Amino acid sequence: MENKLMNLTLKVWRQKNAKEKGGFETYPVEGISPDTSFLEMIDILNNKLIHEGKEPVAFDHDCREGICGMCSLYINGHAHGPDSEITTCQLHMRKFRDGDTITIEPWRSAAFPVVRDLVVERQAFDKILQAGGFVNVNTGGVPDANAIPIPKEDADESMDAAACIGCGACVATCKNGSAMLFVAARVSSLAKLPQGKVEAARRAKAMVAKMDELGFGNCTNTGACQAECPKGISVSHIARLHREFLSAKFKD
Ligand code: FES
């Protein structure tokens, strides 16, 4: 199979810190294999910049296998790039063509301020999770797997919601900067399980209140979050979040 090396032009957002104004810088990169991952391609660019005595591009990454949610890049106008249901670290250069110009930006959201270049501060998500708090569990010996029967549909839905890696693509892609899909995934993954029922009402109210306090926008059902989510989290979980929140309010 032909494995032609690619020459590309990168337009990369550079910004020294949260206070300074950023802007795009253009960099050529040459001899990139289509089998190179997107992050490896940025590594190659950074290697070149370092050899030229220039500042490398700061970008977030950790696991590089689609698990941690760190690799938050907006590529050619799409969160995590042109492919669907994958993270930036799973994106490969074969998705682009030789001679392409690729625009790389950080997440754009008031709740995720730019720290440097392509790195944003996503502590707001941690604060929402902290507001959600703990799950009551009996400590002690490990119970039998079938000690608490859970219908398969509920277990499947819970697992689908729990697939959220907290990358923030939903917020970055939403025109309102809403965190509803993230909060919904967290609430939904626990709401479908008996273990999550004990604190369900408190959790839904606390997470929604924290989300509002931190300046995330409202959901207006555009569905952009679902379309760009690397884990394919469904907006149906937002409907469950609404139900959980309303039933908690009625209980009050
Ligand atoms: S680096 Fe962990 S999901 Fe991409």
Side-chain angles (χ1 to χ4, degrees):
M1 193 204 269
E2 195 186 0
N3 200 8
K4 190 172 173 291
L5 298 183
M6 307 159 84
N7 295 332
L8 304 157
T9 303
L10 305 181
K11 284 179 69 185
V12 184
W13 184 262
R14 303 300 311 256
Q15 187 171 340
K16 278 202 168 60
N17 54 50
K19 294 212 173 77
E20 290 204 29
K21 212 167 158 247
F24 284 103
E25 300 256 339
T26 303
Y27 305 105
V29 281
E30 284 150 15
I32 301 293
S33 159
D35 296 330
T36 308
S37 78
F38 199 84
L39 297 188
E40 285 167 342
M41 187 273 297
I42 302 180
D43 289 338
I44 292 168
L45 166 68
N46 276 344
N47 206 16
K48 180 169 166 289
L49 291 177
I50 290 166
H51 276 92
E52 290 170 359
K54 296 180 184 155
E55 274 292 315
V57 177
F59 66 103
D60 260 337
H61 60 102
D62 190 0
C63 71
R64 295 201 177 199
E65 50 187 23
I67 299 169
C68 72
M70 288 295 284
C71 54
S72 46
L73 297 183
Y74 223 72
I75 303 161
N76 283 351
H78 290 279
H80 295 296
D83 218 346
S84 59
E85 297 199 13
I86 60 161
T87 53
T88 300
C89 59
Q90 297 171 302
L91 177 66
H92 283 79
M93 298 315 294
R94 50 184 167 268
K95 280 285 158 189
F96 300 89
R97 278 183 308 208
D98 182 31
D100 271 359
T101 296
I102 305 173
T103 306
I104 312 171
E105 298 171 78
W107 281 173
R108 307 278 190 196
S109 168
F112 295 155
V114 172
V115 176
R116 187 179 177 88
D117 297 339
L118 303 172
V119 178
V120 298
E121 174 63 82
R122 276 173 296 177
Q123 233 183 37
F125 268 12
D126 296 334
K127 288 180 181 162
I128 293 174
L129 290 181
Q130 282 162 5
F134 56 89
V135 171
N136 247 335
V137 290
N138 291 325
T139 53
V142 179
D144 286 343
N146 59 357
I148 308 173
I150 299 168
K152 178 160 183 344
E153 303 78 53
D154 288 353
D156 285 351
E157 267 197 71
S158 172
M159 286 304 290
D160 287 348
C164 170
I165 53 174
C167 64
C170 48
V171 176
T173 215
C174 174
K175 67 181 172 126
N176 309 316
S178 171
M180 282 293 270
L181 193 65
F182 169 73
V183 175
R186 300 302 161 139
V187 166
S188 202
S189 67
L190 292 167
K192 293 300 286 183
L193 300 177
Q195 296 94 326
K197 290 266 187 276
V198 186
E199 293 89 6
R202 188 198 56 75
R203 181 185 308 115
K205 285 185 296 182
M207 291 181 87
V208 169
K210 185 55 81 177
M211 172 178 75
D212 288 344
E213 179 196 317
L214 293 170
F216 289 102
N218 285 326
C219 171
T220 50
N221 295 314
T222 64
C225 52
Q226 175 181 299
E228 297 282 11
C229 174
K231 297 296 166 184
I233 308 273
S234 163
V235 289
S236 65
H237 294 293
I238 294 180
R240 178 164 300 106
L241 171 62
H242 282 305
R243 289 198 294 277
E244 291 289 316
F245 182 76
L246 283 176
S247 95
K249 284 290 187 187
F250 278 131
K251 278 181 196 148
D252 283 351

